[in-house]
Structure formats: structure tokens, C-alpha cells
Amino acid sequence: MIQSTQQLYARYVAITQKAADFNGAAAVLGWDQEVYMPEGGAGTRARQLSTLATTAHELLTSTEYGAVLQDLAAKDGLTAVETANIMRSLQDYERNTKLPANFVAELSEQTSVCFQAWAAARTSNNFATYAPHLERMIALKKRQADLVGYEGHPYNALVDEYEPGANVKMLDALFSTIGEEIKPLTARISSCTQVDDTCLHQHFDRQSQWDFSIKVLQLMGYDFKRGRQDYAPHPFTTSFGANDVRVTTRVDEQNFGYMLWSTIHEGGHALYEQGLPQSQYGLPVGSAASLGVHESQSRLWENCIGRSGWLWLKLYPELQSTFPSQLGRVSFETFYRAINRVAPSFIRTEADELTYHFHVKVRYEIEKQLIAEPTNIMELPALWNSLYQEYLGITPESDTVGVLQDVHWAHGSFGYFPTYSLGSLYAAQYYQYAMQQMPDIANAMQQANFEPMLRWLREHIHGYGRTFTAEELCKRITGESLNVTHFIRYATEKYDSIYH
Amino acid sequence: MIQSTQQLYARYVAITQKAADFNGAAAVLGWDQEVYMPEGGAGTRARQLSTLATTAHELLTSTEYGAVLQDLAAKDGLTAVETANIMRSLQDYERNTKLPANFVAELSEQTSVCFQAWAAARTSNNFATYAPHLERMIALKKRQADLVGYEGHPYNALVDEYEPGANVKMLDALFSTIGEEIKPLTARISSCTQVDDTCLHQHFDRQSQWDFSIKVLQLMGYDFKRGRQDYAPHPFTTSFGANDVRVTTRVDEQNFGYMLWSTIHEGGHALYEQGLPQSQYGLPVGSAASLGVHESQSRLWENCIGRSGWLWLKLYPELQSTFPSQLGRVSFETFYRAINRVAPSFIRTEADELTYHFHVKVRYEIEKQLIAEPTNIMELPALWNSLYQEYLGITPESDTVGVLQDVHWAHGSFGYFPTYSLGSLYAAQYYQYAMQQMPDIANAMQQANFEPMLRWLREHIHGYGRTFTAEELCKRITGESLNVTHFIRYATEKYDSIYH
């Protein structure tokens, strides 16, 4: 039976969206696991999640799906959106089918084992108990790189999964420029009078912080009819479809920054997910472009807007009246400087927007080496510490706040870290472009009105989903590729002014 | 290839538990939908739920599954538990495969349509807009009865789905006895001085009620490490496996009874689910025996224990100190009488434990007629009202509090209602048996210690799952079949004493 293009495309949509249903259900189960599940539920939940993931994977690697995609790729008469979907799905299919089922199962099993070992080792500050599991994970990731294939450095095969188009050559250049340009800036800062951020380290009660976090999300334009916020120990954003995108935050009553930055960061991710085309549910055009683009959205809100004066123009008086005894006598300038304090630290997730890149660079350099060269796994903590000393000028007090701090390697996520820096850099480039080229956006921002900014992001980024790669998007919007000088200029102007 | 019995049984377990994973995931999505989902999520959630349900159904009606079951049913060497699983799964398979896929899809679609129409009609008190959809649903249920097959009355085919073994002959006898025996009791009650329950209708603040509900669940023995309670407008219990069984409750600040009865009722259901054999996840022996047995557990806790003096021996002083201004001067006896007030009412879910059976009887008589005889659908409200007048002596003020009050028919759940009465009757029989035959249980109860009662239920009911039917369980435990006289005696003694 010969099927028409429409029939074939409908079949493609049916299979892809069915897989999305399983993945969306898994996301609900994952969300619940992090925020509400009683401890007893863990075992059953793990097997339910595994069944959902396996079923989605089977659909998306099936022979029928491959045939439908190949047929459609050869057809004329598809719309631009349909063509983008088929092109991306075909890329995914080709990537997914390169990994044999038994390899996927082995990787999944090793991820569970490795995660448990990592969590225990981190708690007990005992890298040695985790080392053999990590070593085995690295061996699997090397094999994955070989199975997927690559040009140049084997790391390219891994980073491409998270950031299509990114590679070692481009990342080396990027981190090199960051090192050269940001190092002198952080050196200047460390020679200045240090910023006092004690105003953020007072007692702020939980409920008031929570209420304030809701206000922040509302001001950003997060749609509570298509989402909600809950508490989670490790904040995250998750989407079950563009009409149900949830954020989580954490509250530390002694540190106002925990709630604040996690709320704004996750809010930025969530605005992206809420802005994806709803009609393209489960299809590439209904999905995020890449992790780097995702991070560009969270970082644009967290750093460029959240640590700017614009947001606080409106929010600081409200914050003062919420916490009069803590902040009533703290001037706007003192608060502004406090939220922009720069200082080297051990923990990546708590780093300021400048030293953050050095945290990422440490991980990037180590990952590249682990994938390409035989490495004695027991030397990893020393390597980590020496790179922290070299890039940040400090040596972690323990492996728990050093090489054991991140879950990524235990999860098998090699190649993920660079997307954090890429996101910050894209964010600065987009932000500067918008503020300089779009007077309406800049003017509104000066009135603490973020609606034009969000509308612009929706129109130029969110609405396209995965139609374009991060690089293509960047060129379309700003007229040039990712260019680190935008971040450098943004950072230099901002921090030279703060640190005089 | 000839497979060993063990291999075949392992294959049976794998398929059945995989289906349970999909159903368990659907239960998580359903729970979230009722308690936390933002309104925007409804559309995507519906399609995800549908995909999960369809996938589980396909597994459990597959030719392979049928062959595995048939092969195993013919094998020797299975354990008693394995045999029970195979026997029940084969019954399910035979029932499920009697319904063609297009009929299942049609029923599912009509359920969505009918539910929407019902909800709108109930809100606007307009039966006529719902009538054609209900009529079509009734036609489908008649067809279902024919497809499934039955002996005697076609209603038997439907009730059997919820209560295996129950039938019209048995239910007619049962409701007839209830009518004959309870009617004189409620008549005596209505001629007495009425009980004053105004003490329950004061202002009780939400948070204190919530905290109290947690205490109630703890006293019952509900395991919070394997469950949690949340708010829901229509309270329910749901299980994602015996290690994650969740309850919900509602709070009305002007009516203490709403929270109280929903918490205890759902707590009773949850104790059953938490007590099912964990090693039998997703298999019949790991599942509830029937809706009637399920309801026997909720009613035993709600009525026999929750409306008894035993529970309040311990809880009433705590309740008084929680609400001193409302209950400080209300005597134990006044409170006890208030929670046992008997009076005819329109709404089934708010009825006392005596008149409750007449609410069920109205629905049972109507269902039987709708399935067996041609009925003018527009006469349904009048039929409903005349039966309320006949059985309860009152006529509903509107269809919203009359024929439109329950969701069951819109959901296509014909044959479900009788299980509510069956549950109450089993509960009274179990309760009386335990209190009379097991001195340890009765003694502990008099110290407000419910642990021996729970242990007994675990050992004799929960731990068997679906190994036995409700009738078989009842005979094994009490030495006789369901016998209404136990409920009659329990009710007569209790209420003659309350109403002197």
C-alpha cells in the first residue's frame, strides 16, 4: 500500500507523540519522586520509570519509525515545520540506533550503581569507594563515543548529544579566551575592597521567602495556570508538555540567596518550556533547541536581569517591606553589590557569574582527558584540586566539596558541563543585543517591565523549538556566531563599576 | 523451544508486572491530576493517561499473554500463590478479550463525553442536556453485558466486574432484608428525640483539622513512610504499589465531619493497600480481592471503629484540647451521639451508616431496570425521586442533589454501587466476629489500641490479595457466608442505645 505524504507524516507524529506520552509520564513520576514521594516508594518507582523509558526508546528506535522517517525525508511537499521535525527526528534516530540495546541496558544499569556509589562516597568523603564504578562508567562512555562516531576528538561525540554542533576545537578556544579575559578582571576584583554580603546572611523566614519567590516568578511572566512551584532539595524545572511546566526551589532561612537564585534560574528555564509551540507537542519543533540554549534562558534571567538593577527597582522596596528588620536599613546599593559579590568558592552551583566559568573549565579539561587518555582514576582528586588551585586560586578542603560535588559523572553525563558556560555566554550576547538594539525592551526594563523582553525571547527563541541549532539561532538573532567578547564587555563594565 | 514451567511463569510475571508499571504510572498521573496539576495541564494529561491505559490493555489482551496463561494453567508444579495468580489472570484475560478493541475505544470515548456532559448538567441542574449521553452509555453497557455474557439477569455481567460472584439474586435478597430490618429501626429513631450535632458545625480552622487528621491516620496504623496525605476536593485513595499508597482528604472549616470521615474512610482503604503482599507487585495476589472487600476495610474503620467509643477514648481529649473553645464544654456523650446522628438526607456520601443502604438501594434498583428493560431516559429523575420518597421519605430538591449527584453512571460504572453496601455488611460481620471471638482484639480496642485489629486484618484479609473472592474470604474467616443479620444486630444494638 502506498501511503500519501500526509498519511506518512501522521504516522510519524503518532509514534513520536506516543513516545512523548511515555516520556511525559516519566517526567511526572520523576517530579513526584523529587518533591513528594515517600521513601518507601523508591523501589517500585525505579521499575516504573525504567519501563516507561524503555518503551519510549523502543518506539523511537523501531524499524518502522526509521522507515517512516527515511520515506518522509525523501518526500516533497512538507511544510518548513514538518521538514524541521523530520530532519531532527532522523538525526535522533540515527544517533539512537547506533547504540545497541544491550549497551543501553548496561549503561542504564551502571548509572544506577554509579549513582548509589557516588551518593555514598560524597556523604562519607571517600572517593576510593566510588572510583571503580566511575572508572567503569568512563570505559562505557569511551565505548559510546566509538559507537556514535566522531571527527577529531572523541569527546566531540559526547558533547554533541547535549549541544549539537559543539566540539573541542570551539570549546578550547572559548575557554581559553575566558581564561585570558576574565582572569585579569577577577584579579582586579580581588585586589579591591571586598563586597560585604552579610545582609543576605540573616534570618529570613521560610514562608515569607516562599511568598516572595512567587512574586518574582509572576514578575518574570511565569504562567501559574500552566505550572506550579514546589519545594525540592535540588531545584529543577520539568515539563510534561508546554501547558504543564513546573519549577522547584529551596529555602535556607540563613541564606536568602539560595531561594532567590534558584527561583529565578528555574523560572528562566520554565519560561522557555512554556513558550515552546504547543501544537508541536512531543515533536522536535516543540522541544528545546539544546542544553546551551536552555541555559541561556535561565542565565539571562538569573544573571543579566536577576543580578541587574532593573528587577530590584520594583522588587527591592517590596523585599524591604517583607523583611523590614533585616533589610529596612540596607541601602539599594549595598543590596545590589551584595547580590553581585565575586569571590572564588568550592561549589559550582553557588558560584558568582564570573568565577562560574572556571568551575566549568575544570570539569571540561578533566572530561576531555578522561575520554581521550588512559588516566589513573585514583589521581582524579589531585588533578581536580590542582586545577582549582590553578584556575581559582583555592584548593578544596575535601573531595565532598571537590571532585565529588556534582552528580553528572555518576549519571554518565560527560559532555554536559560545557553547556553551562555556553548558556551564560549566549545569555550575555542576547541580553546585550536586546538592550542595545531594541529600545522598547530597554525602556520597559528600566520600568521593571519584563514583558517586552519575554515577548522577544518567545518570538526569536522559544517559538522555534529545535528548528535551529544554538549556533544558527545566535546568528539569526544577533547576526553573528557566539562571540565571547559580548560576555567579556558585559562583565567588565558591570564589575568594574561595582568594584570601582 | 519448550519452556520450563519456571520460564513460563517468569514470562507471565514479566508481562503482568510491565502492565502494572503502566497502570502504576497512570495512577501517579491521576493522583497529581486531582491534587496538584495546574488547569492548563488537562489536555496533555488526558492523552498521556490514554496512552498508558491502552498500552497496559494491549499487553494484557495479547495473544502471547493468553498462550502463556493457558500453558501455565495446564502445568503441574506451581505453588499455591502461583496457581492463584494464574487462575485470576486467566479470568481477567478471558473477560478482557471478550471486549473487542473498537468497543473498548468507543466506551472510553463515550466515557469522556458523558463525564463532561454530566459535570455541566450537574452544575446547571439540567438533566436534559445529559440525558442523550447517558442513554448512549446505557446502550453500550447493555452491549457490554451481552459481549461478556451472563447467566440469569444481564446486570450480573456488570456487577461481576466489580464484585466477582455477586449477582442479582443475592443482591435482591440482601437489599430486601435490609429494607425489612432497617426500616423499622430508622422509623423508631425518627420518632425519638433527635440527636443534636451542632457541636460539629462550628468553625474549626483548616490547619488544626489537618494536623488532627494526621494523628487519626497514625493511630490507625497508616504508614507514612509508605504513603502521604494531601488535600483533594473529592477524597480518594490511590496506590502505586504497596510501598506508596496515598490518601487524600478535604477540610470544611464549618463542618468537622467532612475531614474526619474522609480521613478515616480513606485510611481504611489505604491500610488494605499497604497490607497487600509486596512480593506480588502487580499480580492478582498483590491486588485487592474486590471492591466490596475494599469497602469493607474503609467501612470497618469509618463506622465500626471511627463511630465507636473506642477511637474517641484516646482522641476526644486531644480533640478537645485542639479545639477548646468549640468542644471544651461538649461532653463525650454529646460528641459520640453527634457523630452517630441518623437522619435521611439527599447526598449518599454524607449519609449516616443506616440510611446509607437506602441510597445504594435506589441506585441498584434503577441500574437493574436500565440494563434489563427499555426505559424512557427522561423519566429517570422522576423514578429517582419516587424511590427516595419510598425508601428515605424525602424528595430531592433538585436533580443536582438527586439523580445527578454521582459520577458513576457517567463513568460507565454500572454495577459498582452495590459494592458499597456489601462492604458495610462485610465490615459489620468481620468487626462483630473479631470483637466477640478474639478477646485480645477487643481488649486492646478498649485501650484505644488498634494494632491487634490491624494485624488480624493483615493476616486474614490483606495478606491474601485476590487469592480468594469476597465470599470465600468471609467463609474462611467467620465460618459463614455474608449474613446481613450481623449488620442488623450491630446496628440495632448501637442505635437503640443511642436513641434509647
Side-chain angles (χ1 to χ4, degrees):
Chain A
M1 187 182 72
I2 294 177
Q3 290 189 297
S4 73
T5 304
Q6 273 111 327
Q7 285 172 320
L8 264 181
Y9 190 78
R11 184 68 192 134
Y12 155 73
V13 169
I15 300 174
T16 316
Q17 292 190 330
K18 188 174 178 183
D21 288 338
F22 293 118
N23 287 327
V28 178
L29 268 64
W31 169 85
D32 176 73
Q33 181 168 267
E34 297 297 321
V35 297
Y36 291 122
M37 189 182 78
E39 60 181 86
T44 315
R45 185 60 52 91
R47 64 162 292 156
Q48 290 165 347
L49 281 168
S50 164
T51 295
L52 293 172
T54 310
T55 307
H57 184 78
E58 281 167 6
L59 280 169
L60 298 180
T61 55
S62 67
T63 319
E64 185 202 355
Y65 191 57
V68 168
L69 286 169
Q70 298 287 1
D71 280 2
L72 280 166
K75 295 264 185 198
D76 295 327
L78 292 174
T79 68
V81 165
E82 290 168 350
T83 304
N85 278 330
I86 297 303
M87 186 177 68
R88 297 291 175 215
S89 289
L90 199 51
Q91 286 169 350
D92 293 345
Y93 179 79
E94 281 165 2
R95 187 182 176 94
N96 289 334
T97 49
K98 279 179 185 163
L99 303 178
N102 61 359
F103 176 81
V104 173
E106 196 179 346
L107 188 60
S108 160
E109 204 174 305
Q110 182 60 16
T111 300
S112 293
V113 172
C114 209
F115 174 78
Q116 303 291 341
W118 165 77
R122 187 189 188 206
T123 304
S124 59
N125 188 39
N126 188 347
F127 179 79
T129 59
Y130 168 50
H133 304 287
L134 178 59
E135 195 165 28
R136 185 150 160 56
M137 176 61 85
I138 293 164
L140 284 171
K141 299 310 281 192
K142 284 180 175 178
R143 205 171 132 219
Q144 183 176 332
D146 289 337
L147 288 165
V148 170
Y150 53 86
E151 286 179 28
H153 199 288
Y155 186 72
N156 292 344
L158 302 182
V159 75
D160 187 73
E161 182 175 346
Y162 304 107
E163 196 63 25
N167 56 52
V168 163
K169 192 177 158 198
M170 164 241 206
L171 292 169
D172 278 349
L174 194 136
F175 281 114
S176 161
T177 312
I178 290 178
E180 285 159 23
E181 303 281 347
I182 297 295
K183 206 102 195 241
L185 178 57
T186 54
R188 280 203 299 284
I189 287 174
S190 68
S191 70
C192 292
T193 311
Q194 289 309 293
V195 160
D196 177 8
D197 68 349
T198 51
C199 66
L200 301 173
H201 296 269
Q202 307 176 69
H203 181 85
F204 296 88
D205 82 271
R206 190 173 162 91
Q207 187 60 45
S208 304
Q209 283 202 53
W210 176 267
D211 295 344
F212 191 78
S213 76
I214 301 292
K215 272 188 198 160
V216 169
L217 288 171
Q218 284 167 336
L219 191 63
M220 289 171 67
Y222 176 80
D223 182 356
F224 277 94
K225 285 190 181 162
R226 300 190 291 135
R228 50 178 288 122
Q229 183 178 257
D230 295 88
Y231 287 111
H234 303 286
F236 63 96
T237 301
T238 185
S239 169
F240 318 141
N243 283 321
D244 193 351
V245 177
R246 304 194 185 178
V247 290
T248 54
T249 195
R250 60 177 174 177
V251 169
D252 179 337
E253 292 201 319
Q254 304 307 323
N255 185 347
F256 185 71
Y258 275 161
M259 175 285 289
L260 184 62
W261 303 125
S262 69
T263 292
I264 305 180
H265 182 95
E266 303 307 333
H269 280 305
L271 289 176
Y272 186 13
E273 292 283 342
Q274 287 190 333
L276 293 169
Q278 294 170 25
S279 64
Q280 300 294 309
Y281 165 76
L283 307 176
V285 176
S287 315
S290 74
L291 284 184
V293 177
H294 230 309
E295 194 73 6
S296 79
Q297 301 305 292
S298 57
R299 291 290 172 184
L300 188 147
W301 288 95
E302 180 188 351
N303 290 338
C304 306
I305 297 177
R307 294 184 204 263
S308 74
W310 312 131
L311 184 73
W312 297 103
L313 201 66
K314 177 148 190 142
L315 278 177
Y316 192 60
E318 283 196 42
L319 185 62
Q320 283 182 305
S321 66
T322 307
F323 299 106
S325 68
Q326 295 92 330
L327 297 173
R329 292 176 191 181
V330 175
S331 71
F332 182 88
E333 206 206 337
T334 303
F335 177 79
Y336 173 68
R337 287 164 57 87
I339 61 174
N340 282 293
R341 179 171 181 267
V342 172
S345 60
F346 299 134
I347 304 295
R348 176 183 58 81
T349 55
E350 294 165 22
D352 61 79
E353 63 179 317
L354 296 187
T355 60
Y356 189 81
H357 293 288
F358 298 115
H359 290 263
V360 176
K361 192 180 179 192
V362 168
R363 290 150 176 83
Y364 169 64
E365 296 296 345
I366 293 176
E367 285 189 345
K368 264 197 314 181
Q369 178 179 326
L370 290 174
I371 294 304
E373 301 162 30
T375 308
N376 177 351
I377 194 76
M378 289 310 294
E379 286 170 9
L380 199 52
L383 175 60
W384 179 283
N385 292 351
S386 73
L387 288 174
Y388 259 78
Q389 189 59 49
E390 183 183 342
Y391 300 157
L392 286 129
I394 53 174
T395 297
E397 294 156 350
S398 69
D399 289 340
T400 295
V401 298
V403 69
L404 291 171
Q405 72 182 266
D406 297 301
V407 70
H408 301 60
W409 293 341
H411 270 168
S413 301
F414 287 78
Y416 191 118
F417 284 118
T419 69
Y420 290 135
S421 277
L422 287 171
S424 293
L425 303 176
Y426 280 124
Q429 188 162 339
Y430 290 142
Y431 178 71
Q432 290 221 313
Y433 179 84
M435 294 299 278
Q436 283 158 14
Q437 307 291 325
M438 313 275 169
D440 288 355
I441 294 178
N443 290 340
M445 200 88 91
Q446 282 159 24
Q447 311 295 318
N449 172 7
F450 305 100
E451 204 274 327
M453 173 61 98
L454 178 56
R455 203 168 50 221
W456 183 75
L457 294 171
R458 288 265 149 92
E459 193 179 330
H460 293 88
I461 299 175
H462 306 179
Y464 286 111
R466 260 179 85 194
T467 307
F468 306 110
T469 65
E471 262 302 283
E472 287 165 355
L473 267 179
C474 191
K475 270 190 207 161
R476 284 176 63 95
I477 297 169
T478 67
E480 58 175 332
S481 292
L482 179 61
N483 181 343
V484 190
T485 59
H486 297 293
F487 175 76
I488 308 292
R489 190 172 63 242
Y490 156 83
T492 306
E493 282 174 11
K494 177 172 175 179
Y495 287 95
D496 273 343
S497 137
I498 290 172
Y499 281 87
H500 308 298
Chain B
M1 188 182 71
I2 294 176
Q3 290 189 296
S4 73
T5 305
Q6 273 112 326
Q7 285 172 320
L8 265 180
Y9 190 78
R11 184 69 192 134
Y12 155 72
V13 169
I15 300 174
T16 316
Q17 292 190 329
K18 188 174 178 182
D21 288 337
F22 293 118
N23 287 328
V28 178
L29 268 63
W31 169 85
D32 177 74
Q33 181 169 267
E34 297 297 320
V35 297
Y36 290 122
M37 190 182 77
E39 60 182 84
T44 315
R45 185 59 53 91
R47 64 163 293 157
Q48 290 165 347
L49 282 168
S50 164
T51 295
L52 293 171
T54 310
T55 307
H57 184 78
E58 281 167 6
L59 280 169
L60 298 180
T61 55
S62 66
T63 319
E64 185 202 355
Y65 191 57
V68 168
L69 287 169
Q70 298 287 1
D71 280 2
L72 279 166
K75 296 265 186 197
D76 295 327
L78 292 175
T79 68
V81 165
E82 289 169 351
T83 304
N85 278 330
I86 296 303
M87 187 177 68
R88 296 292 174 216
S89 289
L90 199 51
Q91 287 169 351
D92 293 344
Y93 179 79
E94 281 164 1
R95 188 182 175 92
N96 288 335
T97 49
K98 279 179 185 162
L99 304 178
N102 61 0
F103 176 80
V104 173
E106 197 179 344
L107 188 60
S108 160
E109 204 175 307
Q110 183 59 17
T111 300
S112 294
V113 172
C114 210
F115 173 79
Q116 303 291 341
W118 165 77
R122 187 190 189 205
T123 304
S124 59
N125 188 38
N126 188 347
F127 179 79
T129 59
Y130 168 52
H133 304 287
L134 178 59
E135 194 165 28
R136 183 150 163 56
M137 177 61 85
I138 294 164
L140 284 171
K141 298 311 282 191
K142 285 180 173 177
R143 205 171 132 218
Q144 183 176 332
D146 289 337
L147 287 165
V148 170
Y150 52 86
E151 285 179 29
H153 200 287
Y155 187 72
N156 292 345
L158 302 181
V159 74
D160 187 73
E161 182 176 346
Y162 304 107
E163 196 64 24
N167 56 52
V168 164
K169 192 177 159 197
M170 164 240 207
L171 292 169
D172 278 349
L174 194 136
F175 281 113
S176 160
T177 313
I178 290 179
E180 286 159 22
E181 302 281 348
I182 298 293
K183 205 98 196 244
L185 177 58
T186 54
R188 280 205 298 285
I189 287 173
S190 68
S191 69
C192 292
T193 312
Q194 289 309 292
V195 161
D196 176 7
D197 68 349
T198 51
C199 66
L200 301 174
H201 296 269
Q202 308 177 66
H203 181 85
F204 296 87
D205 82 88
R206 190 173 163 89
Q207 187 59 45
S208 304
Q209 284 202 53
W210 176 266
D211 295 344
F212 191 78
S213 75
I214 300 292
K215 273 188 197 160
V216 170
L217 288 171
Q218 283 167 337
L219 191 63
M220 289 170 68
Y222 175 81
D223 182 355
F224 277 94
K225 284 190 182 165
R226 299 190 291 134
R228 50 178 289 121
Q229 182 177 256
D230 295 88
Y231 286 110
H234 303 286
F236 63 96
T237 301
T238 185
S239 168
F240 318 141
N243 283 321
D244 193 352
V245 177
R246 304 193 186 179
V247 290
T248 54
T249 195
R250 59 176 175 177
V251 169
D252 179 337
E253 292 202 319
Q254 305 306 324
N255 184 347
F256 185 71
Y258 274 160
M259 175 284 290
L260 184 61
W261 305 125
S262 69
T263 292
I264 305 180
H265 183 93
E266 302 307 333
H269 280 305
L271 288 176
Y272 187 13
E273 292 284 343
Q274 286 190 333
L276 292 169
Q278 295 170 26
S279 65
Q280 300 294 309
Y281 165 76
L283 307 176
V285 175
S287 315
S290 73
L291 283 184
V293 177
H294 230 308
E295 195 73 6
S296 79
Q297 301 305 292
S298 57
R299 291 290 170 184
L300 188 147
W301 288 94
E302 180 188 352
N303 291 339
C304 305
I305 298 177
R307 294 184 204 263
S308 75
W310 313 130
L311 184 72
W312 297 103
L313 201 67
K314 177 147 190 144
L315 278 177
Y316 192 60
E318 283 196 41
L319 185 61
Q320 284 181 304
S321 67
T322 307
F323 298 106
S325 68
Q326 296 92 329
L327 297 172
R329 292 176 191 180
V330 175
S331 71
F332 183 87
E333 207 207 337
T334 303
F335 177 79
Y336 173 69
R337 288 163 57 86
I339 62 174
N340 282 292
R341 180 171 180 266
V342 172
S345 60
F346 298 134
I347 304 294
R348 175 184 57 82
T349 56
E350 294 165 22
D352 61 79
E353 62 179 317
L354 296 187
T355 60
Y356 189 81
H357 292 289
F358 298 115
H359 290 263
V360 176
K361 193 180 178 192
V362 168
R363 290 150 177 84
Y364 169 65
E365 297 296 346
I366 292 176
E367 285 188 345
K368 264 197 316 181
Q369 179 179 325
L370 290 174
I371 294 304
E373 301 162 30
T375 308
N376 177 351
I377 194 76
M378 288 311 294
E379 288 171 8
L380 198 52
L383 176 59
W384 179 283
N385 292 350
S386 73
L387 288 174
Y388 260 76
Q389 189 59 50
E390 184 183 343
Y391 300 156
L392 286 128
I394 53 174
T395 297
E397 294 155 350
S398 69
D399 290 341
T400 295
V401 298
V403 69
L404 290 172
Q405 71 181 268
D406 298 301
V407 69
H408 301 59
W409 293 341
H411 270 168
S413 301
F414 286 78
Y416 192 118
F417 284 119
T419 69
Y420 290 135
S421 278
L422 287 171
S424 293
L425 303 176
Y426 280 124
Q429 188 162 339
Y430 290 143
Y431 178 72
Q432 290 222 311
Y433 179 84
M435 294 299 278
Q436 284 157 15
Q437 307 291 325
M438 312 276 170
D440 288 355
I441 294 178
N443 291 339
M445 200 89 90
Q446 282 160 26
Q447 311 296 319
N449 172 7
F450 306 100
E451 203 274 328
M453 173 60 97
L454 178 56
R455 203 168 50 220
W456 183 75
L457 294 171
R458 287 264 149 94
E459 193 180 331
H460 294 88
I461 299 176
H462 306 180
Y464 287 111
R466 261 179 85 194
T467 306
F468 306 110
T469 64
E471 261 302 282
E472 287 165 354
L473 266 179
C474 190
K475 270 190 208 163
R476 284 176 62 96
I477 296 170
T478 67
E480 59 175 331
S481 291
L482 179 61
N483 181 343
V484 189
T485 59
H486 297 293
F487 175 76
I488 309 292
R489 190 172 64 243
Y490 156 82
T492 306
E493 283 173 11
K494 176 172 175 179
Y495 288 96
D496 273 343
S497 138
I498 290 172
Y499 281 88
H500 308 298

